[in-house]
Amino acid sequence: MDFSRVQLSDDDRAFLEEARAFLAEHVTDDVIRRDRETGDNFDEGVHLALGEAGYLHGEWKSEDEGGFPRVRRRLWELEKRRYHVPWVTMGTTVMVSRAVAAFGSPELRDEVLPKVFSGEARLCLGYTEPEGGSDIATCKTRAVRDGDEWVINGSKMFTTGAHNCQYVFLITNTDPDAQKHKSITMFLVPLDTPGIEIQGIRTVDGDRTNIVYYSDVRVPDRYRLGEVNGGWTVLRGPLDAEHGATATEPDGLQDVAIMMHQGEFMVKACDVAGRVVGTPDANGRKAIDDDSVAYRLGRSVARMEVAVSTPSIFGRVALAQSMRDVAPDLMDILGTASTLPVGTEGAADDGAAEYVYRFAPLVGIYGGTLEVFRNMIAQHVLGLGKPNYSPPKKAS
Ligand SMILES: Cc1cc2nc3c(=O)[nH]c(=O)nc-3n(C[C@H](O)[C@H](O)[C@H](O)COP(=O)(O)OP(=O)(O)OC[C@H]3O[C@@H](n4cnc5c(N)ncnc54)[C@H](O)[C@@H]3O)c2cc1C
């Protein structure tokens, strides 16, 4: 890896200024407030403006295809985060639209991709089911062929963003008698198809996700992605991207691990806590002068620094676990007023640690749980073999 300082050209600087001006204009306090109220993590006005200004296109395409060069891509990613652009639907749209580009028919690509770049089409993930999400190959939602159409029945849990999206990337079972990895077919289902019902669910951190019911939903065959029962091949790319298992470039112009965006909330909470405990109270006393406060703050900051420096799949686990460990420690040293959420008068740190406390459990669940990732590390990186969940043998 090359740690030398990146030199920005005049054009890069101009790009950066332009991006900042664009974000300052569009990601207003109103957008942030609305986002907090709805838990949507998406704002249509911002998204359409991003499309119109060419940012979605630049982000999606590689440099060879006319997308952002590496340095600008990095600048753009960091600025987007700094301005708190609602991001979740954008992330799923990019992941799924790559699968549409690779596996969709020319007709489907023409229908969907131009609208992805303009911002009018958003795509979400329909993997998890009420009976289980970790092993998505056990999918029970059925698609049955009827002439040139498919009839879909089932339900999906946690389809985040469905209410703001036009299509869902849906895992279906098309052969219940086959081995599970050979029974899956993928579809890009238009969400305005009759028979689809979207119900909202709010999670403990305030985010909104959905349960989606599919009752006799009829979809033309042109919405199929890849081969019948060949869905696993279509899923591989989006799953690798979501797991953070994609290769990194040697220039270092990217996050060291997926979930860094989430980890930044922990970084901020540590910074704010440090400032609060280092500020004298009315009697001139600072909380940091208490050794136990200094010790716990130091331990939190050390854990946070290790997590944000840990690469790839290990980093993902380190970030989610550290957020769970650090948030209660920070809240303890900040005292009772740290339980007040952001925007509340009297909150010790404007709710920074409290938010991480509520957010951390979810960061260790979505896209795969901490336990599942630890098993993947054990099995695929450390070579420890497949976990054995059979009951222990009885002593004879
Ligand atoms: C906020 C949020 C947003 C989400 N967004 C989406 C979305 O947009 N689309 C979507 O399809 N899904 C989404 N999910 C679902 C998420 O991907 C699943 O919750 C996750 O994969 C775990 O599946 P599960 O909840 O069904 O738990 P289960 O798979 O039922 O697991 C239950 C428990 O068993 C453990 N476990 C399971 N298998 C193993 C194993 N092999 N080894 C060790 N332990 C194991 C798990 O760690 C967990 O503790 C979202 C979830 C949340 C919380």
Side-chain angles (χ1 to χ4, degrees):
M1 191 179 288
D2 179 5
F3 285 104
S4 61
R5 249 181 109 82
V6 173
Q7 297 296 330
L8 297 189
S9 66
D10 289 346
D11 281 353
D12 291 334
R13 266 183 211 294
F15 172 85
L16 179 59
E17 293 311 317
E18 207 177 285
R20 283 183 176 158
F22 175 90
L23 292 169
E25 181 188 342
H26 292 281
V27 189
T28 58
D29 289 348
D30 240 20
V31 167
I32 302 290
R33 182 190 45 75
R34 223 172 23 241
D35 191 41
R36 208 173 281 145
E37 279 168 14
T38 61
D40 275 357
N41 220 330
F42 173 77
D43 185 280
E44 187 167 41
V46 173
H47 195 75
L48 291 173
L50 287 166
E52 201 183 334
Y55 286 111
L56 298 178
H57 186 272
E59 200 174 320
W60 198 96
K61 298 258 179 179
S62 69
E63 187 172 351
D64 299 342
E65 297 164 329
F68 292 146
R70 298 273 305 153
V71 170
R72 286 191 206 174
R73 182 177 299 279
R74 186 61 177 155
L75 291 172
W76 173 240
E77 281 167 5
L78 293 175
E79 290 307 313
K80 260 195 328 183
R81 197 175 293 167
R82 200 164 290 145
Y83 279 84
H84 298 292
V85 177
W87 55 276
V88 87
T89 301
M90 201 185 294
T92 55
T93 300
V94 170
M95 261 189 288
V96 178
S97 55
R98 290 196 197 289
V100 175
F103 295 99
S105 63
E107 203 182 353
L108 185 62
R109 291 203 299 263
D110 288 348
E111 175 183 326
V112 176
L113 293 181
K115 289 189 178 162
V116 164
F117 300 139
S118 69
E120 293 157 281
R122 280 92 57 178
L123 322 176
C124 55
L125 306 175
Y127 298 167
T128 306
E129 300 199 343
E131 284 178 44
S134 297
D135 187 0
I136 52 179
T138 56
C139 157
K140 293 195 170 49
T141 294
R142 285 278 281 130
V144 177
R145 193 157 196 155
D146 181 18
D148 194 37
E149 288 186 331
W150 292 84
V151 183
I152 299 174
N153 277 289
S155 50
K156 295 283 174 179
M157 194 69 189
F158 299 126
T159 310
T160 306
H163 58 303
N164 288 314
C165 288
Q166 284 61 45
Y167 299 91
V168 55
F169 185 51
L170 194 73
I171 304 182
T172 68
N173 184 315
T174 37
D175 187 353
D177 298 326
Q179 279 179 340
K180 62 181 181 178
H181 286 95
K182 294 185 178 154
S183 63
I184 285 173
T185 304
M186 296 304 299
F187 290 90
L188 191 75
V189 178
L191 278 161
D192 59 0
T193 313
I196 297 181
E197 189 193 330
I198 300 171
Q199 283 180 12
I201 303 168
R202 293 299 284 264
T203 53
V204 66
D205 69 324
D207 276 347
R208 154 137 187 194
T209 179
N210 302 287
I211 180 162
V212 183
Y213 298 96
Y214 299 83
S215 309
D216 291 330
V217 173
R218 298 189 84 87
V219 180
D221 188 50
R222 71 171 187 280
Y223 288 103
R224 175 166 52 84
L225 296 168
E227 301 295 322
V228 174
N229 298 329
W232 204 243
T233 311
V234 181
L235 267 170
R236 193 72 16 249
L239 280 184
D240 282 351
E242 204 184 7
H243 289 170
T246 43
T248 51
E249 298 290 335
D251 60 17
L253 289 168
Q254 72 243 319
D255 290 339
V256 295
I258 196 168
M259 300 288 184
M260 197 57 83
H261 174 98
Q262 288 82 341
E264 295 272 336
F265 289 93
M266 167 174 59
V267 175
K268 183 182 165 208
C270 285
D271 283 353
V272 180
R275 199 166 62 233
V276 172
V277 299
T279 304
D281 64 15
N283 302 312
R285 279 196 297 263
K286 290 186 274 182
I288 191 84
D289 292 336
D290 179 331
D291 283 351
S292 69
V293 171
Y295 172 78
R296 291 174 81 178
L297 179 67
R299 183 173 62 181
S300 296
V301 171
R303 281 178 170 161
M304 175 273 283
E305 290 288 354
V306 169
V308 298
S309 314
T310 305
S312 76
I313 189 172
F314 309 101
R316 178 192 182 117
V317 171
L319 282 164
Q321 184 63 56
S322 305
M323 286 171 76
R324 292 180 181 190
D325 296 338
V326 163
D329 244 1
L330 294 181
M331 289 179 75
D332 268 356
I333 63 175
L334 289 166
T336 320
S338 70
T339 56
L340 297 173
V342 57
T344 313
E345 205 184 322
D349 59 348
D350 196 24
E354 188 268 351
Y355 178 65
V356 178
Y357 186 78
R358 285 184 291 121
F359 191 28
L362 305 178
V363 177
I365 295 175
Y366 55 59
T369 65
L370 269 173
E371 293 79 15
V372 166
F373 276 100
R374 286 198 163 107
N375 272 347
M376 282 162 75
I377 291 172
Q379 199 181 330
H380 303 299
V381 186
L382 303 177
L384 295 178
K386 235 180 156 152
N388 179 0
Y389 294 118
S390 52
K393 284 203 180 92
K394 285 202 180 103
S396 49

